[in-house]
Amino acid sequence: MAEFTSVADYESKIKRVLITKEEIAAAIEKAGKEIDKIYDGRPILLVSILKGAFVFMADLCRAVSVPCEIGFMCAKSYYQGTVSSGVVQITMDLEQDISGYHVVIAEDIIDTGRTLHDVVKLLKARKPLSLHVVTLLDKPSRRLVDFKADYSLFTIPDHFVIGYGLDCAEYFRNLPYIAEYAE
């Protein structure tokens, strides 16, 4: 667990802002319109992968006009560090039977691709009507498995990022923008 002695100490870990809150808002509005177009009034189940995607999903669900239920899953691969452990663990599963749903997974970041690869495989086996993945951030240079989101709002270089739900050891989720973490 990180120990911060002051706000200045906390802020010293923010190397630079990569994506502003205004850029995020505009991209989410565009993504919401795209989801509306794809589903054309049909209801969706919007699934947030916790913890990182909760902020993104909250804004995304307000950006769509199609009927929308929400669900939550928790899949972990980072634990306390800044490097993926390589082991994906589902620590909280959906409560819904998704066989009657058009499922849209809202993810914060696709890095190695392992987490989403495993989650998508699990959910497809449950036979949803359709399944799409929308990710706030995509980091294709780090991909270790063959996985591509259906819709990516931003493609970023290989930096460890924080903010807008993304954390380092549970801190920085509250930042309204995406920033590079100063290690």
Side-chain angles (χ1 to χ4, degrees), residues 67-182:
C68 179
E69 288 185 45
I70 61 169
F72 297 94
M73 293 182 76
C74 189
K76 296 173 88 171
S77 66
Y78 276 85
Y79 307 101
Q80 295 296 315
T82 61
V83 178
S84 175
S85 68
V87 177
V88 177
Q89 179 184 15
I90 306 295
T91 59
M92 185 176 90
D93 205 345
L94 287 172
E95 295 177 358
Q96 295 96 328
D97 170 2
I98 65 169
S99 62
Y101 286 95
H102 294 284
V103 176
V104 178
I105 298 172
E107 177 62 306
D108 56 350
I109 187 167
I110 301 175
D111 191 338
T112 65
R114 288 180 179 135
T115 301
L116 260 291
H117 178 269
D118 288 1
V119 168
V120 166
K121 183 178 175 182
L122 174 72
L123 294 183
K124 280 186 175 180
R126 297 176 185 175
K127 303 190 184 322
L129 297 173
S130 66
L131 191 141
H132 286 92
V133 175
V134 178
T135 187
L136 175 65
L137 303 174
D138 190 12
K139 201 188 298 185
S141 65
R142 298 262 307 146
R143 204 73 84 242
L144 295 177
V145 298
D146 184 21
F147 187 84
K148 185 169 174 22
D150 297 293
Y151 193 91
S152 297
L153 278 67
F154 299 97
T155 300
I156 62 169
D158 187 14
H159 300 303
F160 188 83
V161 291
I162 52 175
Y164 200 73
L166 290 99
D167 73 301
C168 181
E170 296 300 323
Y171 288 97
F172 305 102
R173 293 186 194 277
N174 60 317
L175 299 175
Y177 49 79
I178 303 294
E180 182 179 355
Y181 180 73

Side-chain angles (χ1 to χ4, degrees), residues 1 5 14 33 42 47 74 77 85 88 166:
M1 181 169 106
T5 57
I14 302 168
K33 288 178 182 171
R42 293 175 290 164
V47 177
C74 189
S77 66
S85 68
V88 177
L166 290 99

Side-chain angles (χ1 to χ4, degrees), residues 2-32:
E3 294 292 327
F4 298 102
T5 57
S6 67
V7 172
D9 183 31
Y10 185 72
E11 291 175 346
S12 74
K13 295 298 184 182
I14 302 168
K15 186 171 183 178
R16 65 187 167 114
V17 174
L18 297 175
I19 305 168
T20 67
K21 66 180 181 177
E22 294 82 9
E23 291 169 320
I24 294 168
I28 289 173
E29 183 179 329
K30 184 177 174 186

